[in-house]
Amino acid sequence: MRTIVLIVIVVLAAVFAVLNRHALMFGHTLNLGFVTYRGVPLGLILLLFGLFLALLFFLWANVERLRGQADSARLLRDMEALRTNLDAQEGSRFAQLQAYIDERFETLGQSVSRPALPSSDLAETNARLDALQRDLNLQLAQMDDYLKRRLQ
Protein backbone atom coordinates (compact mmCIF):
# COMPACT_ATOMS: atom_id res chain seq x y z
CA MET A 1 0.00 0.00 0.00
CA ARG A 2 2.83 2.39 0.86
CA THR A 3 4.49 1.69 -2.47
CA ILE A 4 1.31 2.57 -4.34
CA VAL A 5 0.97 5.83 -2.38
CA LEU A 6 4.61 6.71 -3.10
CA ILE A 7 4.18 5.99 -6.82
CA VAL A 8 1.02 8.14 -6.93
CA ILE A 9 2.87 11.01 -5.21
CA VAL A 10 5.81 10.77 -7.63
CA VAL A 11 3.51 10.63 -10.68
CA LEU A 12 1.49 13.63 -9.45
CA ALA A 13 4.71 15.56 -8.79
CA ALA A 14 6.01 14.70 -12.28
CA VAL A 15 2.74 15.83 -13.90
CA PHE A 16 2.84 19.02 -11.80
CA ALA A 17 6.46 19.64 -12.84
CA VAL A 18 5.72 19.12 -16.54
CA LEU A 19 2.67 21.39 -16.46
CA ASN A 20 4.50 24.12 -14.53
CA ARG A 21 8.04 23.74 -15.86
CA HIS A 22 8.39 27.43 -16.67
CA ALA A 23 7.39 28.52 -13.18
CA LEU A 24 9.58 25.85 -11.56
CA MET A 25 12.61 26.87 -13.62
CA PHE A 26 12.14 30.62 -13.12
CA GLY A 27 15.22 32.09 -11.50
CA HIS A 28 14.97 33.52 -7.97
CA THR A 29 17.39 35.10 -5.59
CA LEU A 30 18.25 32.64 -2.80
CA ASN A 31 19.75 34.04 0.42
CA LEU A 32 21.22 31.46 2.80
CA GLY A 33 22.43 34.02 5.34
CA PHE A 34 26.12 33.80 4.55
CA VAL A 35 25.90 33.66 0.75
CA THR A 36 23.41 34.84 -1.87
CA TYR A 37 22.66 33.00 -5.11
CA ARG A 38 20.98 34.65 -8.10
CA GLY A 39 19.00 32.87 -10.81
CA VAL A 40 18.31 29.69 -8.76
CA PRO A 41 15.23 27.62 -9.77
CA LEU A 42 13.70 27.62 -6.26
CA GLY A 43 10.49 25.83 -7.32
CA LEU A 44 12.47 22.91 -8.70
CA ILE A 45 14.58 22.71 -5.56
CA LEU A 46 11.47 22.64 -3.34
CA LEU A 47 9.81 20.00 -5.53
CA LEU A 48 12.89 17.76 -5.43
CA PHE A 49 13.17 18.27 -1.66
CA GLY A 50 9.54 17.19 -1.20
CA LEU A 51 10.10 14.07 -3.30
CA PHE A 52 13.22 13.30 -1.28
CA LEU A 53 11.22 13.55 1.97
CA ALA A 54 8.53 11.23 0.59
CA LEU A 55 11.17 8.68 -0.40
CA LEU A 56 12.85 8.99 3.01
CA PHE A 57 9.53 8.38 4.79
CA PHE A 58 8.88 5.36 2.56
CA LEU A 59 12.27 3.84 3.39
CA TRP A 60 11.84 4.55 7.11
CA ALA A 61 8.41 2.86 7.14
CA ASN A 62 9.81 -0.22 5.37
CA VAL A 63 12.69 -0.50 7.84
CA GLU A 64 10.21 -0.36 10.74
CA ARG A 65 8.07 -3.04 9.09
CA LEU A 66 11.11 -5.28 8.63
CA ARG A 67 12.07 -4.77 12.29
CA GLY A 68 8.59 -5.83 13.34
CA GLN A 69 8.77 -8.94 11.19
CA ALA A 70 12.19 -9.81 12.63
CA ASP A 71 10.81 -9.43 16.19
CA SER A 72 7.86 -11.66 15.31
CA ALA A 73 10.18 -14.30 13.85
CA ARG A 74 12.38 -14.18 16.97
CA LEU A 75 9.34 -14.59 19.22
CA LEU A 76 8.11 -17.54 17.15
CA ARG A 77 11.54 -19.21 17.43
CA ASP A 78 11.53 -18.66 21.21
CA MET A 79 8.02 -20.07 21.50
CA GLU A 80 8.99 -23.15 19.48
CA ALA A 81 12.04 -23.75 21.67
CA LEU A 82 9.91 -23.36 24.79
CA ARG A 83 7.30 -25.77 23.43
CA THR A 84 10.00 -28.35 22.66
CA ASN A 85 11.45 -27.94 26.14
CA LEU A 86 8.02 -28.33 27.75
CA ASP A 87 7.30 -31.42 25.65
CA ALA A 88 10.55 -33.01 26.82
CA GLN A 89 9.79 -32.19 30.44
CA GLU A 90 6.27 -33.57 30.15
CA GLY A 91 7.63 -36.75 28.56
CA SER A 92 10.05 -37.26 31.44
CA ARG A 93 7.23 -36.71 33.93
CA PHE A 94 5.12 -39.34 32.19
CA ALA A 95 8.07 -41.75 32.25
CA GLN A 96 8.49 -41.17 36.00
CA LEU A 97 4.76 -41.65 36.55
CA GLN A 98 4.77 -44.87 34.52
CA ALA A 99 7.78 -46.19 36.48
CA TYR A 100 6.05 -45.37 39.75
CA ILE A 101 2.82 -47.03 38.65
CA ASP A 102 4.71 -50.13 37.46
CA GLU A 103 6.52 -50.32 40.78
CA ARG A 104 3.27 -50.02 42.72
CA PHE A 105 1.55 -52.67 40.60
CA GLU A 106 4.55 -54.94 41.05
CA THR A 107 4.34 -54.47 44.82
CA LEU A 108 0.61 -55.08 44.77
CA GLY A 109 1.05 -58.16 42.57
CA GLN A 110 3.58 -59.62 44.97
CA SER A 111 1.29 -59.04 47.93
CA VAL A 112 -1.60 -60.69 46.05
CA SER A 113 0.54 -63.72 45.11
CA ARG A 114 1.10 -64.48 48.81
CA PRO A 115 -2.30 -63.93 50.30
CA ALA A 116 -2.30 -62.95 53.92
CA LEU A 117 -5.98 -62.18 53.83
CA PRO A 118 -8.94 -64.54 53.83
CA SER A 119 -10.36 -65.28 50.38
CA SER A 120 -13.36 -62.95 50.79
CA ASP A 121 -11.03 -60.05 51.68
CA LEU A 122 -8.76 -61.06 48.80
CA ALA A 123 -11.64 -60.92 46.32
CA GLU A 124 -12.68 -57.54 47.68
CA THR A 125 -9.10 -56.27 47.44
CA ASN A 126 -8.81 -57.57 43.86
CA ALA A 127 -12.06 -55.85 42.91
CA ARG A 128 -10.83 -52.62 44.47
CA LEU A 129 -7.51 -52.96 42.62
CA ASP A 130 -9.32 -53.52 39.34
CA ALA A 131 -11.48 -50.43 39.94
CA LEU A 132 -8.39 -48.36 40.79
CA GLN A 133 -6.62 -49.64 37.68
CA ARG A 134 -9.59 -48.72 35.45
CA ASP A 135 -9.75 -45.27 37.05
CA LEU A 136 -6.02 -44.75 36.58
CA ASN A 137 -6.19 -45.88 32.96
CA LEU A 138 -9.08 -43.49 32.36
CA GLN A 139 -7.19 -40.59 33.91
CA LEU A 140 -4.05 -41.37 31.86
CA ALA A 141 -6.14 -41.54 28.68
CA GLN A 142 -7.71 -38.17 29.50
CA MET A 143 -4.28 -36.62 30.13
CA ASP A 144 -3.00 -38.09 26.87
CA ASP A 145 -5.98 -36.67 24.93
CA TYR A 146 -5.53 -33.28 26.59
CA LEU A 147 -1.83 -33.14 25.67
CA LYS A 148 -2.50 -34.21 22.10
CA ARG A 149 -5.09 -31.43 21.74
CA ARG A 150 -2.75 -28.84 23.25
CA LEU A 151 0.24 -29.81 21.10
CA GLN A 152 -1.62 -29.69 17.80
Side-chain angles (χ1 to χ4, degrees):
M1 181 65 179
R2 291 182 195 131
T3 307
I4 294 171
V5 171
L6 182 66
I7 290 172
V8 168
I9 289 173
V10 169
V11 167
L12 289 176
V15 169
F16 177 78
V18 167
L19 293 175
N20 297 297
R21 66 183 172 276
H22 297 294
L24 290 175
M25 298 303 287
F26 184 75
H28 293 280
T29 301
L30 181 63
N31 187 357
L32 297 178
F34 54 89
V35 67
T36 301
Y37 293 103
R38 297 191 193 289
V40 176
L42 189 58
L44 184 62
I45 291 173
L46 291 176
L47 181 66
L48 292 176
F49 184 70
L51 289 174
F52 172 75
L53 287 178
L55 182 64
L56 185 66
F57 173 74
F58 175 74
L59 292 175
W60 174 74
N62 279 336
V63 166
E64 287 300 316
R65 183 178 54 87
L66 288 175
R67 282 185 184 160
Q69 289 175 346
D71 287 343
S72 295
R74 182 181 48 82
L75 285 174
L76 288 174
R77 280 192 308 270
D78 291 347
M79 286 174 53
E80 183 64 27
L82 181 63
R83 188 190 64 79
T84 304
N85 188 13
L86 289 175
D87 286 347
Q89 287 177 1
E90 195 64 28
S92 69
R93 285 189 193 117
F94 272 122
Q96 289 173 351
L97 179 63
Q98 186 64 41
Y100 176 74
I101 290 170
D102 289 343
E103 177 187 321
R104 291 298 291 166
F105 278 138
E106 184 67 31
T107 304
L108 289 173
Q110 289 174 359
S111 68
V112 169
S113 65
R114 1 177 212 114
L117 302 171
S119 65
S120 65
D121 289 342
L122 183 60
E124 184 180 314
T125 304
N126 281 339
R128 187 167 177 246
L129 273 175
D130 289 339
L132 287 173
Q133 185 177 11
R134 283 190 303 273
D135 186 45
L136 187 59
N137 285 337
L138 178 66
Q139 288 178 3
L140 284 174
Q142 288 174 348
M143 288 171 58
D144 187 46
D145 290 342
Y146 172 76
L147 287 174
K148 283 179 182 176
R149 281 193 315 265
R150 293 293 287 178
L151 295 177
Q152 287 180 352

